[in-house]
Amino acid sequence: MSSGSDREVGIARVYATAMLNLAKSSGQEDGLRDELVSVSALLAGQPAFEAFLSNPTVDSEARQRTIEKLFRGKFSDVLVDSMQVLNRNERLGSIRGIAEAYRLLHEELKGRVEVHVRTSVPLNEALRVRLRTTLRAKTGKQADLVETVDESLIGGMIVQIGDEKHDNSVLRKLATLGRNLLDRASREIYSGRTYTAE
């Protein structure tokens, strides 16, 4: 069963896909990406305005008028019309999530994919190149690496492409080894044999 955040991500992706398809039909997919980045930055810097847009107790017609006054003529009709659809569906609170989903879909469209890489130490350039080459062979897309250093991993790396996660960290291997030893000990105890480590 999906969590609330998974559901929100799914909803954001549905709206972002519809917006991308609409923008593509008029050759505005790059411009819409930039506009969504601008709107996200505006909302991040104006929490009171974001709260106004996402508050279900605010009359939707008041929000509609505000959107028209602030955005029409300054942004594309694709963006403003999309915001009005979000307003009617009480989804303006998801606009920053939709912007992020749109960015990822736009990258896919352009033959790029965002890959999150967690390592215990920073990647050197040779490993970065090797990783990009491997990921291009796997995905058929150019990999944009988002690197994070996490010393708790001890060694190895965790690579995440969308929902797909590859954990090749020493921490995971130690956890697996610990579970295997515990399982073996439990089986031997239940079988009546004395457990001895080898």
Side-chain angles (χ1 to χ4, degrees):
M1 185 172 161
S2 294
S3 70
S5 65
D6 288 341
R7 184 172 180 274
E8 287 300 314
V9 167
I11 289 168
R13 190 174 174 91
V14 167
Y15 279 104
T17 301
M19 290 169 73
L20 181 60
N21 290 336
L22 187 60
K24 273 168 45 182
S25 69
S26 54
Q28 298 180 63
E29 61 270 25
D30 294 350
L32 184 57
R33 176 205 56 208
D34 296 342
E35 289 182 336
L36 283 165
V37 168
S38 297
V39 170
S40 288
L42 170 72
L43 295 177
Q46 300 287 332
F49 180 55
E50 184 172 29
F52 165 78
L53 291 179
S54 60
N55 188 337
T57 64
V58 173
D59 180 53
S60 65
E61 288 184 13
R63 288 194 305 255
Q64 178 186 0
R65 288 191 298 272
T66 301
I67 290 167
E68 289 297 320
K69 183 177 176 184
L70 293 178
F71 296 100
R72 187 73 70 187
K74 299 177 186 79
F75 291 91
S76 69
D77 288 343
V78 172
L79 177 71
V80 180
D81 293 344
S82 296
M83 289 182 73
Q84 294 295 15
V85 170
L86 293 171
N87 179 43
R88 286 194 296 275
N89 294 323
E90 299 290 341
R91 289 286 175 196
L92 279 172
S94 302
I95 192 122
R96 288 206 277 158
I98 291 167
E100 176 61 12
Y102 186 96
R103 185 184 69 78
L104 295 173
L105 288 168
H106 184 270
E107 284 184 358
E108 286 178 31
L109 178 69
K110 299 297 181 183
R112 305 178 76 89
V113 64
E114 185 173 276
V115 180
H116 291 263
V117 182
R118 266 199 302 156
T119 54
S120 59
V121 295
L123 292 173
N124 61 40
E125 193 53 38
L127 187 53
R128 220 174 260 127
V129 168
R130 206 166 93 211
L131 188 55
R132 282 195 186 104
T133 303
T134 302
L135 290 166
R136 185 171 190 91
K138 177 180 174 46
T139 65
K141 299 182 187 330
Q142 181 176 329
D144 294 327
L145 302 182
V146 179
E147 301 175 31
T148 307
V149 174
D150 180 353
E151 294 175 0
S152 72
L153 297 180
I154 304 168
M157 69 176 64
I158 299 173
V159 176
Q160 184 154 358
I161 309 167
D163 295 335
E164 189 180 340
K165 185 175 179 180
H166 303 276
D167 189 342
N168 192 28
S169 65
V170 171
L171 183 64
R172 183 195 58 81
K173 290 176 181 175
L174 288 173
T176 301
L177 177 62
R179 279 195 305 274
N180 290 344
L181 286 172
L182 188 60
D183 288 346
R184 179 178 168 204
S186 296
R187 282 194 308 274
E188 291 191 5
I189 288 169
Y190 285 119
S191 70
R193 290 190 310 222
T194 304
Y195 172 70
T196 54
E198 293 177 3

